[in-house]
Amino acid sequence: MNNIMDCIREGSVLLSDGAWGTMLYEKGLKSTECPELWNISNPDKVFQIAKSYVDAGANIIETNSFGGSRMKLDMYELGDRAKEINYAAARISREAAGDDVYVFGSLGPTGKILMMGEVSEEEVYQVFCEQAVALEEGGSDALIVETMMALDEATIAITAAKENTSLPVICTFTFEKTMNNDYRSMMGVSPTDMVSALIDSGATIIGANCGNGIDRMVEIAKEMRKANPSAYLMIQANAGIPEIINGKSYFREGPVEMGAQLHHLIDQNVNIIGGCCGTTPDHIARFSQIITHANS
Amino acid sequence: MTENLRSKYPKMNDILDKLTLCIERGKVDTNATFPSDMIGDPGADELTRQAITQNIPAEEILNKALFKAMKRVGIRFRDNEIFVPEVLMAAKAMSTAMKHLIPFFDQGLISKKGTFIIGTAAGDMHDIGKSLVAMIVEGGGWNTIDLGINVSTQKFLAAIEENPGCSVGISALLTTTMVNMENTVKEIKENYPGINVLVGGAPVTQSFCDDIGADFYSPEPHGALDFLNEQT
Ligand code: B12
Ligand SMILES: [Zn+2]
């Protein structure tokens, strides 16, 4: 398999996977259970999700380790198993990916707010270091620090990953549209602010994930592209915010609706495209047709 | 402020205005490095002590500075003029000021508007939205009890039992935990029909609120405070 960065430099658009969290719930994860513990207690089901994205045509799949930092696992009193859980996450995705698909080890926010002094920078660094190393050992090809909202935490995560592994590091933020029609992360960071800060801190690829639907992602991608014409970008849109109808949750954007907007992302020279919450292997299969066509 | 008070405490306006600004901007104390344009200036801590030393009535400090500032914070957050960090810092400055007022509460010179209990629905680990609501409501003069995340129905019921006449807020960010929210609301309504239940969180809507029999929904914290104030 070629180095992922060589692949991106050649100019083809790569397809990543879709949601994990919402897929785990579909498979029976209870809201009181720790999703990452399933890497050990239910590896078959986690493998099925990974494999379903490989079969749908993804070039990249992530790992079930989004909430795998020691600080998040502590909420389930599983902090001491961080290493084992993350290693298992990467092994499962590696096995599903085989030799032709890349594995991006996922690191999510710790859930702690640094500027409030709840935790120190050093503690956060150590926590990301531990997770990053385990994800590399388990067979990840790159690491993705995702759904970030604060520049300080994101920068520490990127630095910890870069200093302690030899893998490329991707970082994506989550933005919401404000009443002033611009985009900000929960902590008030704009896509423009984020682009320059993360490139300075050494991220190889930057981008946005989650949020609220693909139309907004197109606007976010435009802003990032404007802020930096040459950065490598990754966009994983969600299928909107879920609504409950008759006790079942529905995401409003289906494979066709989302697929119809992908060319706008490709026009912005987005290098990696995929889905977030609410997207399924069906979405990714649809994206695969469109991206394969665009690449040819 | 009445003319009477103004002539009695000529500097009162000045201090309370400064304190309002410190709380609104999240300036905790002199040593605080946030916000960067107020480094070295006295903060909520010093100004509250100064106001007390100058015998400005606690009620004035509370109404003309603390609540006034937090109200502005709630409105500016609702209008997307400020974001989560600014609210958190403002709340920190407010609670710093509040510590100095505790003796006045204890002496019965000032009092809270009522008790508001809030928590995240069972199974839900999303903390931030719930905490912001707690801060804004507390900043509006309510005794606020934050039960934290992943709060079971039992825990809500126990807290209500201990605080007769309270209002309850529940936050849910996952569709899976919205179901738990529904159960909690039902149990509360069955056991304590008179208690107001407020619900919120990104996927919660007015129609969901109506369906599960909750009393009030707001997409942002300031709405919750307005609702609570209307009930008194
Ligand atoms: C930050 C975040 C996280 C953080 C939480 C950190 C923390 N300490 O809280 C982390 C990374 C831990 C996390 C974890 C997960 N998350 Co999450 N997360 C989010 C995100 C991006 C933002 C939530 C947030 O904090 N917003 C900022 C606050 C200020 O907004 P808020 O909570 O909505 O609150 C405001 C209002 O709603 C209102 N409000 C809130 N509560 C109340 C209560 C009352 C009474 C009132 C009146 C008002 C009110 O006032 C607040 C201030 O304005 C959302 C996406 C989104 N757009 O909402 C997804 C989202 C909520 N998460 C989602 C998912 C799937 C997950 C995970 C399952 C992922 C996983 N695989 O692990 C886990 C769940 C773990 C669990 N059991 O809870 C999905 C849920 C989808 C679904 N089907 O339900 C969302 C919606 C993303 C999406 N677009 O699909 N997440
Ligand atoms: Zn998502």
Side-chain angles (χ1 to χ4, degrees), chain A residues 248-262:
Chain A
K248 250 194 92 78
S249 84
Y250 288 97
F251 282 89
R252 96 183 154 257
E253 300 181 7
V256 176
E257 289 93 341
M258 287 186 79
Q261 303 301 318
L262 289 195

Side-chain angles (χ1 to χ4, degrees), chain A residues 232-248:
Chain A
Y232 296 121
L233 295 186
M234 171 160 177
I235 298 285
Q236 292 178 304
N238 68 11
I241 296 280
E243 290 161 62
I244 293 209
I245 304 170
N246 297 328
K248 250 194 92 78

Side-chain angles (χ1 to χ4, degrees), chain A residues 209-210 238 276-277:
Chain A
N209 75 323
C210 219
N238 68 11
C276 199
C277 303

Side-chain angles (χ1 to χ4, degrees), chain B residues 100-224:
Chain B
H100 300 297
L101 299 178
I102 290 172
F104 301 95
F105 282 105
D106 293 347
Q107 293 163 32
L109 294 172
I110 41 178
S111 60
K112 298 282 169 84
K113 294 178 184 161
T115 296
F116 178 62
I117 292 170
I118 187 165
T120 308
D124 206 310
M125 304 293 173
H126 292 86
D127 196 21
I128 301 157
K130 177 265 309 159
S131 302
L132 291 177
V133 177
M135 288 168 192
I136 297 292
V137 171
E138 173 147 34
W142 288 74
N143 172 35
T144 302
I145 302 175
D146 186 343
L147 298 178
I149 53 174
N150 185 15
V151 180
S152 66
T153 302
Q154 289 328 324
K155 213 166 156 188
F156 274 112
L157 293 176
I160 296 169
E161 188 63 40
E162 281 171 29
N163 295 279
C166 65
S167 297
V168 179
I170 313 174
S171 176
L173 271 284
L174 297 171
T175 46
T176 46
T177 57
M178 282 166 78
V179 180
N180 303 344
M181 173 188 259
E182 178 171 2
N183 292 335
T184 304
V185 172
K186 286 206 173 111
E187 290 279 328
I188 293 175
K189 287 287 170 190
E190 252 165 49
N191 291 285
Y192 305 93
I195 295 244
N196 276 319
V197 183
L198 293 72
V199 292
V204 177
T205 57
Q206 184 64 52
S207 71
F208 181 76
C209 165
D210 298 340
D211 287 350
I212 66 173
D215 299 286
F216 180 77
Y217 160 77
S218 166
E220 46 80 32
H222 188 71

Side-chain angles (χ1 to χ4, degrees), chain A residues 31 113 115 178-179 184 186, chain B residues 78 80 83 85 123 128 180:
Chain A
S31 59
I113 297 176
M115 70 172 294
T178 72
M179 281 156 66
R184 295 298 189 94
M186 196 179 82
Chain B
R78 178 194 70 195
N80 297 154
F83 296 88
I128 301 157
N180 303 344

